[in-house]
Amino acid sequence: MKLPTNVIAAGKAAVQAQWSDTANVTRKQKVDNVKKDVEIYTGITCHLSQSSKPTLEQSDTVATTAAVFTVFVDTEVQLLPGDTLIVSHKGQTFTGAAGDPLNGTFSNSVKLEAVKIT
């Protein structure tokens, strides 16, 4: 179903009015025949959400937990798998790699993988 442009704009505005997080995005690109991290977006407004609580994963030698996070961004922001995201959320910094993007009507989203919280 194709929504009217004004409905999409109103929906995006309502959703994004609740966002208070910011993110910087870097991407590996070839510069002078060398792969370098290039900053693609700086200070974009986003929303970080914890998709699931940490679950205990056990093996013979170690038990670990990993939470799953999702980052929501404006539809104009095009994230690629493997992009590095540094998200500022309520005084904490979440750094991780973007998973496969999901491009939606009101926002785009990616799972944040290998997250380091500082």
Side-chain angles (χ1 to χ4, degrees), residues 51-97:
S51 304
S52 67
K53 302 289 185 207
T55 57
L56 185 62
E57 297 175 16
Q58 291 182 313
S59 69
D60 292 340
T61 57
V62 68
T64 61
T65 61
V68 177
F69 296 93
T70 302
V71 178
F72 297 88
V73 296
D74 187 79
T75 55
E76 298 296 317
V77 175
Q78 296 300 311
L79 299 173
L80 299 177
D83 283 353
T84 299
L85 280 76
I86 301 171
V87 180
S88 297
H89 172 79
K90 298 186 180 189
Q92 292 182 297
T93 302
F94 295 73
T95 304

CSV table of all heavy atoms in Angstrom, one decimal, residues 51-97:
chain,number,residue,atom,x,y,z
A,51,SER,N,16.8,-4.8,22.0
A,51,SER,CA,15.9,-5.7,21.4
A,51,SER,C,15.6,-6.9,22.2
A,51,SER,O,14.5,-7.5,22.2
A,51,SER,CB,16.4,-6.2,20.0
A,51,SER,OG,16.7,-5.1,19.2
A,52,SER,N,16.6,-7.4,23.0
A,52,SER,CA,16.3,-8.6,23.8
A,52,SER,C,17.3,-8.5,25.0
A,52,SER,O,18.4,-7.9,24.9
A,52,SER,CB,16.6,-9.9,23.1
A,52,SER,OG,17.9,-10.0,22.8
A,53,LYS,N,16.9,-9.0,26.1
A,53,LYS,CA,17.7,-9.1,27.3
A,53,LYS,C,18.8,-10.1,27.1
A,53,LYS,O,18.7,-11.0,26.3
A,53,LYS,CB,16.8,-9.5,28.5
A,53,LYS,CG,15.7,-8.5,28.8
A,53,LYS,CD,16.2,-7.2,29.3
A,53,LYS,CE,14.9,-6.4,29.7
A,53,LYS,NZ,15.2,-5.0,29.6
A,54,PRO,N,19.9,-9.9,27.8
A,54,PRO,CA,21.0,-10.9,27.6
A,54,PRO,C,20.5,-12.3,28.0
A,54,PRO,O,19.8,-12.5,29.0
A,54,PRO,CB,22.1,-10.4,28.6
A,54,PRO,CG,21.7,-8.9,28.9
A,54,PRO,CD,20.2,-8.8,28.7
A,55,THR,N,21.0,-13.2,27.2
A,55,THR,CA,20.7,-14.6,27.5
A,55,THR,C,22.0,-15.3,27.8
A,55,THR,O,23.0,-15.0,27.2
A,55,THR,CB,20.0,-15.3,26.3
A,55,THR,OG1,20.8,-15.2,25.2
A,55,THR,CG2,18.6,-14.7,26.1
A,56,LEU,N,22.0,-16.3,28.7
A,56,LEU,CA,23.2,-17.0,29.1
A,56,LEU,C,23.5,-18.1,28.0
A,56,LEU,O,22.6,-18.9,27.7
A,56,LEU,CB,23.0,-17.7,30.4
A,56,LEU,CG,24.2,-18.4,31.0
A,56,LEU,CD1,25.3,-17.4,31.3
A,56,LEU,CD2,23.8,-19.0,32.3
A,57,GLU,N,24.7,-18.0,27.5
A,57,GLU,CA,25.2,-19.0,26.6
A,57,GLU,C,26.3,-19.7,27.2
A,57,GLU,O,27.3,-19.1,27.7
A,57,GLU,CB,25.6,-18.4,25.3
A,57,GLU,CG,24.5,-17.6,24.5
A,57,GLU,CD,25.0,-16.9,23.3
A,57,GLU,OE1,26.1,-17.2,22.8
A,57,GLU,OE2,24.3,-16.0,22.8
A,58,GLN,N,26.2,-21.1,27.3
A,58,GLN,CA,27.2,-21.8,28.1
A,58,GLN,C,27.9,-22.8,27.1
A,58,GLN,O,27.3,-23.3,26.2
A,58,GLN,CB,26.6,-22.6,29.2
A,58,GLN,CG,26.1,-21.7,30.3
A,58,GLN,CD,25.5,-22.5,31.5
A,58,GLN,OE1,24.7,-23.5,31.2
A,58,GLN,NE2,25.9,-22.2,32.7
A,59,SER,N,29.2,-23.0,27.4
A,59,SER,CA,30.0,-24.0,26.8
A,59,SER,C,30.7,-24.8,27.8
A,59,SER,O,30.5,-24.5,29.0
A,59,SER,CB,31.0,-23.4,25.8
A,59,SER,OG,32.0,-22.7,26.5
A,60,ASP,N,31.6,-25.7,27.5
A,60,ASP,CA,32.3,-26.4,28.5
A,60,ASP,C,33.3,-25.6,29.3
A,60,ASP,O,33.6,-25.9,30.4
A,60,ASP,CB,33.2,-27.5,27.8
A,60,ASP,CG,32.3,-28.6,27.1
A,60,ASP,OD1,31.1,-28.7,27.5
A,60,ASP,OD2,32.8,-29.3,26.2
A,61,THR,N,33.7,-24.4,28.8
A,61,THR,CA,34.7,-23.6,29.5
A,61,THR,C,34.2,-22.3,29.9
A,61,THR,O,34.8,-21.7,30.8
A,61,THR,CB,35.9,-23.4,28.6
A,61,THR,OG1,35.5,-22.8,27.4
A,61,THR,CG2,36.6,-24.7,28.2
A,62,VAL,N,33.2,-21.7,29.3
A,62,VAL,CA,32.8,-20.4,29.7
A,62,VAL,C,31.3,-20.1,29.5
A,62,VAL,O,30.6,-20.8,28.7
A,62,VAL,CB,33.6,-19.4,28.8
A,62,VAL,CG1,33.1,-19.4,27.3
A,62,VAL,CG2,33.5,-17.9,29.3
A,63,ALA,N,30.8,-19.2,30.3
A,63,ALA,CA,29.4,-18.8,30.1
A,63,ALA,C,29.4,-17.3,29.8
A,63,ALA,O,30.1,-16.5,30.5
A,63,ALA,CB,28.6,-19.0,31.4
A,64,THR,N,28.7,-16.9,28.8
A,64,THR,CA,28.7,-15.5,28.3
A,64,THR,C,27.2,-15.0,28.1
A,64,THR,O,26.3,-15.9,27.9
A,64,THR,CB,29.5,-15.3,27.0
A,64,THR,OG1,28.8,-16.1,26.0
A,64,THR,CG2,30.9,-15.7,27.2
A,65,THR,N,27.1,-13.7,28.2
A,65,THR,CA,25.8,-13.2,27.9
A,65,THR,C,25.9,-12.1,26.8
A,65,THR,O,27.0,-11.4,26.8
A,65,THR,CB,25.1,-12.5,29.1
A,65,THR,OG1,25.9,-11.5,29.6
A,65,THR,CG2,24.8,-13.5,30.2
A,66,ALA,N,25.0,-11.9,25.9
A,66,ALA,CA,25.0,-10.9,24.9
A,66,ALA,C,23.6,-10.3,24.7
A,66,ALA,O,22.7,-11.0,24.5
A,66,ALA,CB,25.5,-11.5,23.6
A,67,ALA,N,23.5,-9.0,24.9
A,67,ALA,CA,22.3,-8.3,24.6
A,67,ALA,C,22.2,-8.0,23.1
A,67,ALA,O,23.3,-7.8,22.5
A,67,ALA,CB,22.2,-7.0,25.4
A,68,VAL,N,21.0,-7.8,22.6
A,68,VAL,CA,20.9,-7.5,21.2
A,68,VAL,C,20.3,-6.0,21.1
A,68,VAL,O,19.3,-5.8,21.8
A,68,VAL,CB,19.9,-8.4,20.5
A,68,VAL,CG1,19.7,-8.0,19.0
A,68,VAL,CG2,20.5,-9.8,20.5
A,69,PHE,N,20.9,-5.2,20.4
A,69,PHE,CA,20.5,-3.8,20.2
A,69,PHE,C,20.1,-3.5,18.8
A,69,PHE,O,20.6,-4.0,17.9
A,69,PHE,CB,21.6,-2.8,20.7
A,69,PHE,CG,22.0,-2.9,22.1
A,69,PHE,CD1,23.0,-3.8,22.5
A,69,PHE,CD2,21.3,-2.2,23.1
A,69,PHE,CE1,23.4,-3.9,23.8
A,69,PHE,CE2,21.7,-2.4,24.4
A,69,PHE,CZ,22.8,-3.2,24.8
A,70,THR,N,19.1,-2.6,18.6
A,70,THR,CA,18.7,-2.1,17.3
A,70,THR,C,18.8,-0.6,17.3
A,70,THR,O,18.4,0.1,18.3
A,70,THR,CB,17.2,-2.5,17.1
A,70,THR,OG1,17.1,-3.9,17.1
A,70,THR,CG2,16.8,-2.1,15.7
A,71,VAL,N,19.3,-0.1,16.2
A,71,VAL,CA,19.4,1.4,16.0
A,71,VAL,C,18.4,1.8,14.9
A,71,VAL,O,18.5,1.2,13.8
A,71,VAL,CB,20.9,1.8,15.7
A,71,VAL,CG1,20.9,3.3,15.4
A,71,VAL,CG2,21.8,1.4,16.8
A,72,PHE,N,17.6,2.8,15.2
A,72,PHE,CA,16.7,3.3,14.3
A,72,PHE,C,17.2,4.7,13.8
A,72,PHE,O,17.6,5.5,14.6
A,72,PHE,CB,15.3,3.5,14.9
A,72,PHE,CG,14.7,2.2,15.3
A,72,PHE,CD1,14.9,1.7,16.6
A,72,PHE,CD2,13.9,1.5,14.5
A,72,PHE,CE1,14.4,0.5,17.0
A,72,PHE,CE2,13.3,0.3,14.9
A,72,PHE,CZ,13.6,-0.2,16.1
A,73,VAL,N,17.2,4.9,12.5
A,73,VAL,CA,17.6,6.2,11.9
A,73,VAL,C,16.6,6.7,10.9
A,73,VAL,O,15.7,5.9,10.5
A,73,VAL,CB,19.0,6.1,11.2
A,73,VAL,CG1,20.1,5.7,12.3
A,73,VAL,CG2,19.0,5.0,10.1
A,74,ASP,N,16.8,7.9,10.5
A,74,ASP,CA,15.9,8.5,9.4
A,74,ASP,C,16.0,7.7,8.1
A,74,ASP,O,17.1,7.1,7.8
A,74,ASP,CB,16.3,10.0,9.2
A,74,ASP,CG,15.3,10.7,8.3
A,74,ASP,OD1,14.2,11.1,8.7
A,74,ASP,OD2,15.6,10.8,7.1
A,75,THR,N,15.0,7.8,7.3
A,75,THR,CA,15.0,7.0,6.1
A,75,THR,C,16.0,7.6,5.1
A,75,THR,O,16.4,6.9,4.1
A,75,THR,CB,13.6,7.1,5.4
A,75,THR,OG1,13.2,8.4,5.3
A,75,THR,CG2,12.6,6.3,6.2
A,76,GLU,N,16.5,8.8,5.3
A,76,GLU,CA,17.5,9.4,4.4
A,76,GLU,C,18.9,8.8,4.7
A,76,GLU,O,19.8,8.9,3.9
A,76,GLU,CB,17.5,10.9,4.6
A,76,GLU,CG,16.3,11.6,4.2
A,76,GLU,CD,15.9,11.5,2.7
A,76,GLU,OE1,16.9,11.6,1.9
A,76,GLU,OE2,14.8,11.2,2.4
A,77,VAL,N,19.0,8.2,5.9
A,77,VAL,CA,20.3,7.6,6.3
A,77,VAL,C,20.4,6.2,5.7
A,77,VAL,O,19.6,5.4,6.0
A,77,VAL,CB,20.5,7.6,7.8
A,77,VAL,CG1,21.8,6.9,8.2
A,77,VAL,CG2,20.4,9.0,8.3
A,78,GLN,N,21.4,5.9,4.9
A,78,GLN,CA,21.6,4.6,4.3
A,78,GLN,C,22.8,3.9,5.0
A,78,GLN,O,23.9,4.3,4.8
A,78,GLN,CB,21.8,4.7,2.8
A,78,GLN,CG,20.7,5.3,2.1
A,78,GLN,CD,19.4,4.5,2.2
A,78,GLN,OE1,19.4,3.3,2.0
A,78,GLN,NE2,18.3,5.1,2.6
A,79,LEU,N,22.5,2.9,5.8
A,79,LEU,CA,23.5,2.2,6.5
A,79,LEU,C,23.8,0.9,5.7
A,79,LEU,O,22.9,0.3,5.1
A,79,LEU,CB,23.1,1.8,7.9
A,79,LEU,CG,22.8,3.0,8.8
A,79,LEU,CD1,22.2,2.6,10.2
A,79,LEU,CD2,24.1,3.9,9.1
A,80,LEU,N,25.0,0.4,5.8
A,80,LEU,CA,25.4,-0.8,5.1
A,80,LEU,C,25.9,-1.8,6.2
A,80,LEU,O,26.5,-1.4,7.2
A,80,LEU,CB,26.6,-0.5,4.1
A,80,LEU,CG,26.2,0.5,3.0
A,80,LEU,CD1,27.5,0.7,2.1
A,80,LEU,CD2,25.1,-0.1,2.1
A,81,PRO,N,25.8,-3.1,5.9
A,81,PRO,CA,26.3,-4.1,6.8
A,81,PRO,C,27.8,-3.8,7.0
A,81,PRO,O,28.5,-3.6,6.0
A,81,PRO,CB,26.1,-5.4,6.1
A,81,PRO,CG,25.0,-5.1,5.2
A,81,PRO,CD,25.1,-3.7,4.7
A,82,GLY,N,28.3,-3.9,8.3
A,82,GLY,CA,29.7,-3.7,8.6
A,82,GLY,C,30.0,-2.2,8.9
A,82,GLY,O,31.2,-2.0,9.4
A,83,ASP,N,29.1,-1.3,8.7
A,83,ASP,CA,29.4,0.1,9.1
A,83,ASP,C,29.6,0.1,10.6
A,83,ASP,O,29.0,-0.7,11.3
A,83,ASP,CB,28.2,1.0,8.8
A,83,ASP,CG,28.1,1.4,7.4
A,83,ASP,OD1,29.0,1.1,6.6
A,83,ASP,OD2,27.1,2.1,7.0
A,84,THR,N,30.5,0.9,11.1
A,84,THR,CA,30.7,1.1,12.5
A,84,THR,C,29.9,2.2,13.0
A,84,THR,O,30.0,3.3,12.5
A,84,THR,CB,32.2,1.3,12.9
A,84,THR,OG1,33.0,0.2,12.4
A,84,THR,CG2,32.5,1.5,14.3
A,85,LEU,N,29.1,1.9,14.1
A,85,LEU,CA,28.2,3.0,14.7
A,85,LEU,C,28.7,3.2,16.1
A,85,LEU,O,29.0,2.3,16.8
A,85,LEU,CB,26.8,2.5,14.7
A,85,LEU,CG,26.0,2.6,13.5
A,85,LEU,CD1,26.3,1.5,12.5
A,85,LEU,CD2,24.5,2.6,13.8
A,86,ILE,N,28.8,4.5,16.4
A,86,ILE,CA,29.1,4.9,17.8
A,86,ILE,C,27.9,5.7,18.3
A,86,ILE,O,27.6,6.8,17.8
A,86,ILE,CB,30.4,5.8,17.9
A,86,ILE,CG1,31.6,5.0,17.4
A,86,ILE,CG2,30.6,6.2,19.3
A,86,ILE,CD1,32.8,5.8,17.2
A,87,VAL,N,27.1,5.1,19.2
A,87,VAL,CA,25.8,5.7,19.6
A,87,VAL,C,25.9,6.2,21.0
A,87,VAL,O,26.4,5.5,21.9
A,87,VAL,CB,24.7,4.7,19.5
A,87,VAL,CG1,23.4,5.3,19.9
A,87,VAL,CG2,24.6,4.1,18.1
A,88,SER,N,25.5,7.5,21.2
A,88,SER,CA,25.5,8.1,22.5
A,88,SER,C,24.0,8.0,23.0
A,88,SER,O,23.1,8.5,22.3
A,88,SER,CB,25.9,9.6,22.5
A,88,SER,OG,27.2,9.7,22.1
A,89,HIS,N,23.9,7.3,24.2
A,89,HIS,CA,22.5,7.0,24.7
A,89,HIS,C,22.6,7.2,26.2
A,89,HIS,O,23.2,6.4,26.9
A,89,HIS,CB,22.2,5.6,24.3
A,89,HIS,CG,20.9,5.1,25.0
A,89,HIS,ND1,19.6,5.4,24.5
A,89,HIS,CD2,20.7,4.3,26.1
A,89,HIS,CE1,18.7,4.8,25.3
A,89,HIS,NE2,19.4,4.1,26.2
A,90,LYS,N,21.9,8.2,26.7
A,90,LYS,CA,21.7,8.5,28.1
A,90,LYS,C,23.0,8.4,28.9
A,90,LYS,O,23.1,7.7,29.9
A,90,LYS,CB,20.7,7.6,28.7
A,90,LYS,CG,19.3,7.8,28.1
A,90,LYS,CD,18.2,7.0,28.7
A,90,LYS,CE,16.9,7.3,28.0
A,90,LYS,NZ,15.8,6.8,28.7
A,91,GLY,N,24.1,9.1,28.4
A,91,GLY,CA,25.3,9.1,29.1
A,91,GLY,C,26.3,7.9,28.8
A,91,GLY,O,27.4,7.9,29.3
A,92,GLN,N,25.8,7.0,28.0
A,92,GLN,CA,26.7,5.8,27.7
A,92,GLN,C,27.0,5.8,26.2
A,92,GLN,O,26.2,6.4,25.4
A,92,GLN,CB,25.9,4.5,28.0
A,92,GLN,CG,25.7,4.2,29.5
A,92,GLN,CD,25.0,2.9,29.7
A,92,GLN,OE1,23.9,2.7,29.3
A,92,GLN,NE2,25.7,2.0,30.4
A,93,THR,N,28.1,5.2,25.9
A,93,THR,CA,28.5,5.1,24.5
A,93,THR,C,28.4,3.6,24.1
A,93,THR,O,29.0,2.8,24.7
A,93,THR,CB,29.9,5.6,24.2
A,93,THR,OG1,29.9,7.0,24.7
A,93,THR,CG2,30.3,5.6,22.8
A,94,PHE,N,27.7,3.3,23.0
A,94,PHE,CA,27.6,2.0,22.4
A,94,PHE,C,28.3,1.9,21.1
A,94,PHE,O,27.9,2.7,20.2
A,94,PHE,CB,26.1,1.6,22.3
A,94,PHE,CG,25.3,1.5,23.5
A,94,PHE,CD1,25.0,2.6,24.2
A,94,PHE,CD2,25.0,0.3,24.1
A,94,PHE,CE1,24.3,2.6,25.4
A,94,PHE,CE2,24.2,0.2,25.2
A,94,PHE,CZ,23.9,1.3,25.9
A,95,THR,N,29.3,1.1,21.0
A,95,THR,CA,30.0,1.0,19.7
A,95,THR,C,29.8,-0.4,19.2
A,95,THR,O,30.0,-1.4,19.9
A,95,THR,CB,31.5,1.2,19.9
A,95,THR,OG1,31.7,2.5,20.5
A,95,THR,CG2,32.3,1.2,18.6
A,96,GLY,N,29.5,-0.5,17.9
A,96,GLY,CA,29.3,-1.9,17.3
A,96,GLY,C,29.2,-1.8,15.8
A,96,GLY,O,29.3,-0.7,15.2
A,97,ALA,N,29.0,-2.9,15.2
A,97,ALA,CA,29.0,-3.0,13.7
A,97,ALA,C,27.5,-3.2,13.3
A,97,ALA,O,26.7,-3.9,14.0
A,97,ALA,CB,29.8,-4.2,13.2
